[in-house]
Amino acid sequence: MPVGQVRYTALEIINRGRLKQGLLGVANFEADSHTNLLLNLLNEVIEEVTDVGEWPQLFREQLVTAISSTDQYLFTPTSGNIKNIHEIGWANRSYPMQWITVEEMRQLRRGSRTSTGAPIFATIVGMSGSDPFFRVHPVPITADVTTMSVAYYKMPRLTVTADSTAAYIPVFPGPLLVQGLYAKALLDENDGVPTPEYTGAYQEFQRMLSEVYNRLGADTGPNYIKVSPGRSWR
């Protein structure tokens, strides 16, 4: 059965998950300990779905102002925490900077420490909390100072207890998250033992996940195959 694109509020997802377990719905996330557990499991599902790939719902762009004689920049996204930087563009140049390793960047800096101009190479060199530092080469100078366009994927916001009244709606399709939540709830109620019921529910979640990701993120036709650790998709 095709997975619909309808999105549910976080509370609707919890209540639909409870219904699949034969339980009545609740008015908020603090109704009982089981509901609070489902809230934590829902966040685990959202993280698992996020890690599958680069979802278009999470794509963002942001400008960073280059500074003369400065090769390292802290990227602080304006929209949530960052999942990964996709590419960095320089001014109106058509092609993005080339990603290289930290070792290659250090080699370039040692071999041409005084090299200046419009940057061609970039690499991630550290973190400040959840925000990454990136380094560029060559080093911009006054005549080159302009903006860099950073394309990145953000992390979706996780669900908190206050969201039951704020009607927070996760970015992923509701039926997908309900099925993932149901599978995790089955595994938890059996103390982590993968019962046949859990296996069937989790396989259905994986089928739905592959369908949604192919449709929204990477579908290239009937011959498309994506292989990820522990799963094979067609």
Side-chain angles (χ1 to χ4, degrees), residues 57-62 75-84 130-131 152-157 171:
Q57 301 99 311
L58 303 177
F59 180 78
R60 299 291 187 275
E61 294 176 295
Q62 186 173 320
F75 180 66
T76 303
T78 57
S79 179
N81 293 328
I82 189 169
K83 177 176 182 282
N84 64 282
S130 60
D131 299 336
Y152 67 100
Y153 289 88
K154 60 170 286 187
M155 290 292 293
R157 184 168 72 85
V171 299

Side-chain angles (χ1 to χ4, degrees), residues 48-112:
E48 183 172 346
V49 173
T50 302
D51 286 342
V52 164
E54 297 181 337
W55 295 88
Q57 301 99 311
L58 303 177
F59 180 78
R60 299 291 187 275
E61 294 176 295
Q62 186 173 320
L63 295 179
V64 174
T65 301
I67 303 172
S68 178
S69 302
T70 301
D71 68 341
Q72 186 165 302
Y73 299 85
L74 175 64
F75 180 66
T76 303
T78 57
S79 179
N81 293 328
I82 189 169
K83 177 176 182 282
N84 64 282
I85 294 180
H86 179 65
E87 68 174 30
I88 303 174
W90 177 260
N92 294 323
R93 193 171 60 193
S94 60
Y95 58 90
M97 296 185 201
Q98 179 181 334
W99 287 111
I100 59 176
T101 65
V102 173
E103 292 76 15
E104 289 171 330
M105 178 63 75
R106 287 173 54 81
Q107 183 178 21
L108 284 173
R109 299 295 293 135
R110 289 194 300 268
S112 54

Side-chain angles (χ1 to χ4, degrees), residues 12-29:
E12 285 178 313
I13 295 170
I14 294 292
N15 281 333
R16 287 172 183 265
R18 288 175 61 92
L19 182 62
K20 290 172 76 73
Q21 292 183 281
L23 302 173
L24 296 176
V26 295
N28 58 69
F29 292 142

